[in-house]
Amino acid sequence: MTTTVPTEAAVRQSSPGTASGPRRRPGRIRRIGLPYLLLLPALLLELLVHLVPMVIGMVMSFKELTQFYIRDWTTAPWNGLENYSVSVDFDAPVGAALLHSFLVTVAFTLLSVALCWLIGTAAAIFMQDTFRGRGLLRALFLVPYALPVYTAVITWVFMFQHDNGLVNHVLHDQLGLTDKPSFWLIGDNSFIALLTVSVWKGWPFAFLIVMAGLQNIPKELYEAASLDGAGLWQQIRRITLPSLRPVNQVLVLVLFLWTFNDFNTPYVLFGKTAPEAADLISVHIYQASFVTWNFGTGSAMSVLLLLFLLVVTGVYLVITSRGRRTADV
């Protein structure tokens, strides 16, 4: 009697529920669309919170929108490019004031970003060494970044008071560095006060980002450099800074955008009307919109600010990408 042993292929073909043709991946389209479906709520919120007001603001910039049309802004007459021409007419009072505010903002942003990056990088490099109390010191460094903006800035307002502020008490009463107590929230000193608060509030973020980037640098590089006789500065210059280049490129861009658009710090520090020396463009646009009730001109200024930031960001990304490709070659 002859017994036929079925082959594996025959068993597979005769098994119930097995397709004779090539197997199709079940739910492939559903799996591909799942990530986009999960992103849909965030995209809708982004549309409602940012994009829709942005489009409305652009439409407002082409209208003669004043306090007379606040009840229904859509009924305001079209003004064309008049709001933009008024904003960029630097011989007129409105344009001259906007140009002054823009220059103050540029100087403030460059100084604040440079100091935040310098202090944060120095602190992060210092914290790489192991010593007693390093964890506590790291936590203390992050306190200015963790505090709410209003709490931190209001504290500085009290410290900058003329008669009983801590800053004048230390500089004038204890150290004797000034002839008389200074006014920090008015006049030319307001720029120094604003820069101090901005750097104090922003450098912990740079410290946190740089410290995270330092974790990716192999310690063997420093050990080899030390054996070759390289000092601390040479190690920082030849190993640390080149290795941190991708991190610093993103960090500097984020700090620039945050600082240039900062509204909370000058508003809480000085109120609705900032001193001329500390007239940042964010507060200036607020005054043009909500103090003078000329929302059309304020919207035009906001659109010009957006275009400027887009151009600066694009140029910065092009320059850094070219430098990165050159370094790779």
Side-chain angles (χ1 to χ4, degrees):
M1 182 176 181
T2 303
T3 305
T4 302
V5 180
T7 62
E8 183 180 353
V11 173
R12 186 178 302 170
Q13 292 178 359
S14 61
S15 299
T18 303
S20 58
R23 297 184 60 184
R24 300 180 61 184
R25 297 180 181 179
R28 181 179 179 183
I29 299 179
R30 183 172 56 188
R31 289 198 305 270
I32 294 176
L34 181 60
Y36 299 98
L37 183 62
L38 296 176
L39 287 175
L40 185 60
L43 293 177
L44 290 177
L45 289 177
E46 182 74 16
L47 180 67
L48 293 175
V49 174
H50 292 286
L51 296 182
V52 172
M54 187 182 302
V55 173
I56 294 176
M58 291 180 180
V59 175
M60 287 182 177
S61 66
F62 297 101
K63 285 178 170 289
E64 189 179 352
L65 184 57
T66 60
Q67 68 268 30
F68 302 106
Y69 302 97
I70 294 299
R71 182 180 296 273
D72 188 5
W73 67 272
T74 57
T75 60
W78 284 93
N79 205 13
L81 298 177
E82 182 65 24
N83 294 325
Y84 292 92
S85 62
V86 170
S87 300
V88 299
D89 186 7
F90 301 135
D91 294 330
V94 176
L98 180 62
L99 178 61
H100 170 77
S101 178
F102 173 76
L103 296 178
V104 170
T105 307
V106 170
F108 164 75
T109 302
L110 294 178
L111 290 174
S112 179
V113 171
L115 291 174
C116 287
W117 177 84
L118 182 62
I119 299 174
T121 302
I125 294 175
F126 172 73
M127 284 296 170
Q128 288 303 107
D129 295 333
T130 303
F131 56 89
R132 186 183 298 273
R134 183 178 66 168
L136 177 61
L137 197 57
R138 283 180 175 178
L140 291 177
F141 281 174
L142 294 176
V143 168
Y145 179 70
L147 283 176
V149 176
Y150 290 93
T151 303
V153 178
I154 289 175
T155 303
W156 277 100
V157 170
F158 287 107
M159 293 173 62
F160 281 129
Q161 292 297 319
H162 176 265
D163 296 328
N164 53 5
L166 179 63
V167 176
N168 280 334
H169 176 70
V170 174
L171 296 180
H172 176 69
D173 298 337
Q174 294 186 345
L175 300 179
L177 298 178
T178 57
D179 297 333
K180 57 182 179 180
S182 303
F183 290 94
W184 293 102
L185 300 180
I186 59 176
D188 295 336
N189 290 332
S190 59
F191 183 85
I192 301 176
L194 179 62
L195 182 63
T196 301
V197 177
S198 177
V199 173
W200 179 86
K201 186 170 57 70
W203 79 264
F205 176 76
F207 162 73
L208 185 65
I209 299 301
V210 174
M211 187 173 60
L214 289 174
Q215 308 303 316
N216 296 324
I217 303 177
K219 295 183 179 179
E220 291 78 6
L221 295 177
Y222 294 102
E223 296 175 356
S226 179
L227 292 176
D228 291 339
L232 177 61
W233 171 245
Q234 290 179 338
Q235 294 180 16
I236 294 174
R237 182 182 177 185
R238 301 294 183 181
I239 299 176
T240 305
L241 293 181
S243 301
L244 288 176
R245 183 175 299 170
V247 176
N248 285 329
Q249 288 175 354
V250 178
L251 174 62
V252 170
L253 179 60
V254 172
L255 286 176
F256 174 81
L257 295 177
W258 282 0
T259 307
F260 207 97
N261 286 316
D262 189 12
F263 173 80
N264 294 328
T265 301
Y267 183 80
V268 178
L269 198 62
F270 304 115
K272 294 181 179 180
T273 304
E276 186 177 358
D279 185 21
L280 297 187
I281 195 167
S282 57
V283 180
H284 188 86
I285 293 175
Y286 170 82
Q287 294 173 353
S289 301
F290 295 96
V291 176
T292 63
W293 296 92
N294 197 335
F295 293 95
T297 305
S299 300
M301 293 178 181
S302 299
V303 174
L304 292 174
L305 175 61
L306 175 63
L307 294 177
F308 170 76
L309 294 178
L310 288 176
V311 171
V312 171
T313 302
V315 173
Y316 178 82
L317 293 177
V318 170
I319 294 175
T320 54
S321 62
R322 288 180 179 177
R324 186 164 52 248
R325 288 196 298 266
T326 303
D328 294 337
V329 173

